[in-house]
Amino acid sequence: MDNSNQKKIIGIIPSRYASSRFPGKPLADIAGKSMIQRVYETAASVFDDVWVATDDQRIFDAVEAFGGKAVMTSEEHRSGTDRCSEAVKNVSESTGKSFDVVVNIQGDEPFIKPSQLNKVAALFDEEETQIGTLVQPITKSEDIFNPNIPKVVLAENGDAIYFSRSPIPFARNIEQEKWINHHTFFGHIGLYAYRTEVLHELTGLREGRLEKMESLEQLRWLEHSYRIRTQETNYDSFGIDTPEDLEKVLAEGIEKYL
């Protein structure tokens, strides 16, 4: 459970039923447990307060059926960040609890590691941390050039300078296949945590120009001068986006991912 300087942390798992590539994904069965149950149980092993934030009664009922806690939120939210903000407000109103830090946990990553959750929460041991996230060293050259893997450049103190779908930084006068030998490139893992008051501020920001170009929400925060602290992890982040992804996991055996 959370022991980090007595900070009051809440884990929120945004979860929608509708998905263009995989409708009903949160309730998909993975070796006897739904995807959302697997995420929830891992989060609950780390944080005392964990809630699934959903806009669908089927997910709400399924979470309560396995003994979890769920909160209904609007169907209008455009991002998990917005859904987290409403969820925390609703939970605080219904329970009378207040929270210092909100951890936004992806509902489609059933094999997330407790150590990853602990690492992002530990960033808030520093009082100046506003937003925290994880990065991972890229080990395959082709991943540097894969636009589906956002890259991040870091300052000396670990703050994120910029995120991009392009390969950054650019290695001038070096053949592309040799870039990985000349620099440690970092990929971004989409696990976020925020000071609660910062989270609520973020939901009021206008969409940024860089965000529109790259389709990366975190660029909006950088454009509005929020600081994003990072922590390094060496675990792969494996999200299930399509039925084919799930078939791959089941065919290989989930033990490989646990």
Side-chain angles (χ1 to χ4, degrees), residues 161-189:
I161 297 174
Y162 190 70
F163 298 83
S164 182
R165 298 186 182 279
S166 296
I168 55 171
F170 184 89
R172 188 179 182 188
N173 297 328
I174 298 174
E175 296 174 15
Q176 286 191 351
E177 60 269 21
K178 296 181 180 178
W179 282 21
I180 200 165
N181 300 323
H182 290 264
H183 181 76
T184 301
F185 291 84
F186 287 99
H188 178 229
I189 292 178

Side-chain angles (χ1 to χ4, degrees), residues 68-193:
K69 293 178 287 189
V71 56
M72 291 295 289
T73 52
S74 169
E75 297 178 356
E76 304 302 318
H77 293 307
R78 296 178 59 189
S79 71
T81 304
D82 293 339
R83 193 173 304 280
C84 280
S85 178
E86 184 195 353
V88 173
K89 290 175 183 175
N90 292 349
V91 169
S92 292
E93 288 175 4
S94 65
T95 66
K97 293 182 179 181
S98 61
F99 302 96
D100 302 309
V101 175
V102 182
V103 181
N104 177 354
I105 303 157
Q106 299 285 344
D108 59 1
E109 294 197 4
F111 307 113
I112 192 168
K113 301 294 189 291
S115 63
Q116 293 176 301
L117 299 176
N118 278 313
K119 279 192 170 189
V120 77
L123 288 168
F124 293 84
D125 292 346
E126 301 177 26
E127 288 301 320
E128 66 271 20
T129 299
Q130 296 179 304
I131 304 166
T133 194
L134 298 182
V135 300
Q136 179 185 28
I138 291 176
T139 58
K140 298 177 183 177
S141 183
E142 61 266 28
D143 288 349
I144 298 172
F145 306 95
N146 183 346
N148 295 317
I149 299 176
K151 272 66 66 177
V152 57
V153 172
L154 306 179
E156 286 287 339
N157 66 355
D159 282 359
I161 297 174
Y162 190 70
F163 298 83
S164 182
R165 298 186 182 279
S166 296
I168 55 171
F170 184 89
R172 188 179 182 188
N173 297 328
I174 298 174
E175 296 174 15
Q176 286 191 351
E177 60 269 21
K178 296 181 180 178
W179 282 21
I180 200 165
N181 300 323
H182 290 264
H183 181 76
T184 301
F185 291 84
F186 287 99
H188 178 229
I189 292 178
L191 172 67
Y192 293 109

Side-chain angles (χ1 to χ4, degrees), residues 1 13 39-50 105 117:
M1 294 298 177
I13 308 169
V39 178
Y40 186 96
E41 289 178 351
T42 299
S45 74
V46 177
F47 306 124
D48 291 321
D49 284 282
V50 176
I105 303 157
L117 299 176

